[in-house]
Amino acid sequence: MRRRWRAVAAGLAVTAAALVVSSPQAAERPHPPAAPAPRERGPARETPVVSAPVRIADAETVRLLRPGDLVDVIAAANSPSPGGGEARVLATGARVRRVPGPSAASPETGALIVLAVPRETARVLVGAGTSSRLAVTLC
């Protein structure tokens, strides 16, 4: 049963990434501006960066991450739809701050990571995490 969940989670992550990259509709409609790569130090006028805990659907993918890595966060619908669901890029170039130990990850519930992102992006990630399965791609 565990292997099946892992396979399903891995398949969702790959499908979400593929949909974002190859969607013919993506070229036709404007995308909302993606969040810029966070800057942890700099002038006071820059967007403040916060730590945002994010649950990634595929715990095995999280095992590949290390603090300091840059990732894009992608949301895919929880339930399959006739059109295959639509994946959305929620954050680009988010810096990984913390990665849980192996005991904190579960194939059924995914794994939690902490990302450094602007406050507005953190709000978007938290909102999407309640209604979508989140995946990451390494930058």
Side-chain angles (χ1 to χ4, degrees):
M1 182 70 163
R2 242 183 192 180
R3 289 182 188 187
R4 185 177 301 159
W5 280 108
R6 286 181 186 168
V8 168
L12 282 173
V14 171
T15 302
L19 285 172
V20 169
V21 173
S22 66
S23 174
Q25 299 166 348
E28 296 172 3
R29 70 182 158 184
H31 287 289
R39 295 184 185 177
E40 297 184 23
R41 295 182 186 156
R45 62 187 166 153
E46 290 185 17
T47 304
V49 174
V50 298
S51 294
V54 178
R55 183 158 304 275
I56 303 303
D58 184 9
E60 293 299 314
T61 300
V62 171
R63 286 186 33 212
L64 301 172
L65 302 177
R66 302 287 175 257
D69 286 346
L70 294 177
V71 297
D72 292 347
V73 181
I74 301 167
N78 269 335
S79 59
S81 64
E86 185 174 326
R88 305 176 284 145
V89 177
L90 302 177
T92 59
R95 185 164 309 278
V96 176
R97 281 202 174 158
R98 284 193 70 220
V99 180
S103 63
S106 165
E108 293 83 24
T109 61
L112 194 66
I113 61 173
V114 179
L115 300 175
V117 293
R119 186 176 303 276
E120 181 62 25
T121 303
R123 184 189 64 75
V124 170
L125 290 171
V126 170
T130 61
S131 61
S132 303
R133 295 177 59 87
L134 301 182
V136 294
T137 59
L138 287 163
C139 297

